[in-house]
């Protein structure tokens, strides 16, 4: 995230040089349509094992465990003319292969949805091998269940949000990116509750490896011809006459909710859940109005997500429903890269079920929305958007203690469709 914020800050001064959206030139479109392209595909993540401890006759004994092999699906976008790759990878957990050592019925070493950024000093280009450095953000989850465990709800999970450094090489063909990389995770030691009173020392091997194959698509290449430039400017006039430069829109896409604060309620009542990092995948739905002249939008949003903490003889289930209004201002257009920021106000319905006892709370919450559009022109009928939302200190109170819901919501790719534009342009 720090790398992304730094990258954005370097381009804020270019606001003075933003492209006029009234007249599009071939030179502008030629450069702007090469700014970013879409990628999708898969990879294999290889975790190299580690060491844990088992309780035998009241004594902790060290036990090594082996590799985890995890296939994943990946979508992303190459930005800044091949110098940066922003992506998100979704694990296929049902295909994961895990080495389980003797003494355990179950071992889980799981790394969840990964969002990352790779920087290429030597830009990606067909028939070229390009080295990269990067950073990723992901959740790890660890659990071990001894042979003969008799706990009603199994064993708890340990969770943590990590940001390993990565390094590697990408070879680019006419259609594919083939990458081999390594990760170094310096957040690799922790304590894990093996009983409600006892913890084991766990150490993960910090180095892991990845092999990926991604298809890339330059979907805007048709906009670089002289005929296309003429058509785009005609489209601008059509939308202006039809009153559709300002337009209604709807948006849909997957989002990840990432825990930001730990819950004092868990620390006080269920310490073995305190380090169970909460992260969820949720739908991000919006309906709103884009205003052309001030270059801003206002919309209604809805998101919902939940999480389950279970282990030993306890279970907690949480659920958040959020309906809100947000407005964002687009800051500048740097060759189709258009960042925005604005406030969001929501009505929150928060619920927690603690060992089948329900607690609910309704409240208003204020947050901040920021992100960027990939918007080469303002005449398109659709675009791709990245949203991030944060609600500081959002929580519900149970028995005088806070159960936190102040997640960072990261909607990496949202499809935004402008209502009526496509029909008008066809006419």
């Amino acid at each position: 995230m720090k790398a992304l914020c730094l990258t954005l800050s370097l381009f804020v001064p270019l606001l003075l040089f933003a492209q006029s959206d009234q007249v599009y030139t071939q030179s502008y479109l030629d450069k702007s349509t090469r700014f970013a392209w879409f990628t999708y595909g898969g990879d294999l993540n290889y975790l190299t094992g580690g060491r844990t401890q088992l309780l035998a006759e009241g004594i902790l004994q060290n036990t090594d465990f082996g590799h985890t092999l995890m296939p994943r699906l990946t979508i992303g976008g190459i930005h800044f003319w091949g110098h940066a790759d922003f992506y998100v990878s979704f694990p296929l957990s049902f295909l994961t292969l895990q080495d389980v050592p003797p003494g355990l019925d179950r071992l889980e070493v799981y790394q969840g949805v990964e969002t990352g950024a790779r920087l290429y000093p030597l830009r990606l280009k067909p028939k070229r091998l390009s080295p990269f450095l990067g950073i990723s953000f992901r959740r790890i989850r660890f659990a071990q269940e001894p042979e003969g465990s008799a706990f009603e709800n199994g064993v708890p999970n340990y969770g943590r949000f990590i940001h390993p450094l990565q390094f590697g090489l990408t070879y680019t063909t006419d259609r594919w990116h083939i990458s081999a990389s390594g990760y170094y995770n310096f957040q690799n030691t922790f304590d894990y509750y093996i009983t409600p009173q006892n913890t084991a020392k766990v150490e993960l091997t910090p180095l892991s490896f990845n092999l990926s194959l991604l298809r890339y698509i330059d979907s805007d290449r048709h906009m670089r011809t002289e005929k296309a430039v003429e058509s785009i400017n005609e489209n601008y006039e059509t939308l202006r006459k039809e009153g559709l430069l300002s337009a209604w829109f709807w948006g849909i896409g997957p989002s990840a909710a990432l825990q930001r604060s730990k819950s004092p309620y868990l620390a006080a009542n269920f310490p073995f859940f305190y380090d169970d990092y909460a992260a969820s995948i949720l739908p991000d739905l919006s309906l709103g109005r884009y205003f052309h002249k001030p270059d801003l939008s206002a919309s209604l949003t809805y998101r919902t997500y939940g999480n389950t903490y279970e282990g030993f003889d306890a279970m907690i289930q949480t659920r958040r429903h959020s309906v809100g209004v947000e407005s964002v201002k687009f800051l500048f257009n740097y060759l189709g890269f258009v960042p925005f920021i604005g406030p969001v106000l929501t009505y929150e319905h928060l619920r927690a079920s603690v060992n089948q006892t329900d607690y609910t709370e309704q409240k208003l919450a204020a947050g901040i929305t920021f992100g960027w559009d990939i918007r080469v022109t303002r005449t398109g009928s659709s675009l791709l958007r990245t949203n991030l939302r944060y609600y500081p200190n959002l929580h519900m109170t149970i028995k005088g203690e806070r159960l936190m819901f102040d997640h960072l919501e990261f909607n990496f790719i949202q499809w935004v469709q402008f209502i009526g534009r496509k029909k008008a342009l066809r006419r």
Side-chain angles (χ1 to χ4, degrees), residues 245-249 288-299 326-332 338-343 373 375 378 385 418 421:
L245 289 175
S246 296
W248 294 98
F249 67 87
R289 177 79 174 174
Y290 170 69
F291 300 93
H292 178 266
K293 189 172 182 180
D295 202 12
L296 59 83
S297 68
S299 59
E326 69 181 11
S327 179
V328 300
K329 176 70 174 73
F330 297 93
L331 302 179
F332 58 88
V338 188
F340 59 80
I341 192 169
D373 283 1
R375 188 184 73 187
R378 286 203 272 175
R385 174 170 295 168
F418 294 99
R421 281 191 178 182

Side-chain angles (χ1 to χ4, degrees), residues 120-342:
Y120 291 88
L122 188 65
R123 72 181 182 90
L124 295 168
K125 182 180 178 181
K127 306 298 188 296
R128 173 182 283 178
L129 190 64
S130 303
F132 65 82
L133 294 173
I135 189 169
S136 71
F137 305 89
R138 67 179 85 165
R139 172 198 184 189
I140 63 169
R141 186 173 71 230
F142 179 90
Q144 65 180 56
E145 187 165 5
E147 294 176 348
S149 173
F151 294 114
E152 180 181 351
N153 294 306
V155 292
N157 292 319
Y158 172 89
R160 173 184 280 182
F161 191 60
I162 62 173
H163 39 90
L165 303 176
Q166 58 174 309
F167 51 91
L169 295 168
T170 297
Y171 180 74
T172 302
T173 73
D174 290 335
R175 296 184 177 183
W176 301 91
H177 296 310
I178 305 167
S179 299
S181 61
Y183 295 91
Y184 186 82
N185 172 31
F186 51 89
Q187 302 160 285
N188 65 321
T189 60
F190 52 87
D191 292 330
Y192 174 75
Y193 276 90
I194 52 178
T195 74
Q197 296 80 30
N198 300 102
T199 61
K201 297 287 185 182
V202 180
E203 181 178 356
L204 305 177
T205 305
L207 195 62
S208 61
F209 301 96
N210 183 273
L211 182 65
S212 69
L213 178 65
L214 299 179
R215 176 80 161 87
Y216 68 91
I217 299 176
D218 182 4
S219 59
D220 295 328
R221 61 185 180 276
H222 65 282
M223 299 172 64
R224 298 170 191 149
T225 66
E226 184 176 343
K227 184 177 180 180
V229 175
E230 181 180 348
S231 176
I232 289 169
N233 285 310
E234 289 175 354
N235 288 345
Y236 179 88
E237 286 302 315
T238 298
L239 295 178
R240 185 183 64 81
K241 292 176 181 177
E242 295 277 349
L244 287 171
L245 289 175
S246 296
W248 294 98
F249 67 87
W250 55 265
I252 186 170
S255 187
L258 307 174
Q259 177 181 315
R260 296 299 302 156
S261 302
K262 293 184 178 183
S263 297
Y265 173 75
L266 297 180
N269 298 277
F270 302 92
F272 44 84
F273 289 153
Y274 184 65
D275 285 322
D276 187 350
Y277 182 87
S280 304
I281 301 297
L282 61 141
D284 189 339
L285 309 175
S286 62
L287 176 66
R289 177 79 174 174
Y290 170 69
F291 300 93
H292 178 266
K293 189 172 182 180
D295 202 12
L296 59 83
S297 68
S299 59
L300 298 173
T301 67
Y302 172 73
R303 280 101 58 231
T304 181
Y305 64 83
N307 192 60
T308 298
Y309 306 86
E310 57 182 332
F312 304 137
D313 297 321
M315 177 182 288
I316 300 174
Q317 294 175 301
T318 64
R319 172 60 56 180
R320 175 191 176 201
H321 293 279
S322 178
V323 180
V325 178
E326 69 181 11
S327 179
V328 300
K329 176 70 174 73
F330 297 93
L331 302 179
F332 58 88
N333 176 5
Y334 180 68
L335 298 172
F337 179 76
V338 188
F340 59 80
I341 192 169

Side-chain angles (χ1 to χ4, degrees), residues 37-97:
W37 56 88
F38 177 69
T39 63
Y40 66 93
D43 67 18
L44 282 175
N45 218 24
Y46 182 80
L47 311 180
T48 50
R51 173 175 292 183
T52 185
Q53 293 179 309
L54 302 179
L55 193 64
E57 299 180 354
I59 300 175
L60 288 172
Q61 298 182 355
N62 293 332
T63 299
D64 293 331
F65 56 88
H67 68 270
T68 303
L69 186 63
M70 179 181 296
R72 308 185 301 178
L73 297 178
T74 298
I75 57 175
I78 305 299
H79 293 67
F80 302 106
W81 303 280
H83 285 288
D85 176 15
F86 302 122
Y87 65 90
V88 59
S89 295
F90 301 92
L92 301 176
S93 56
F94 62 95
L95 295 176
T96 297
L97 299 177

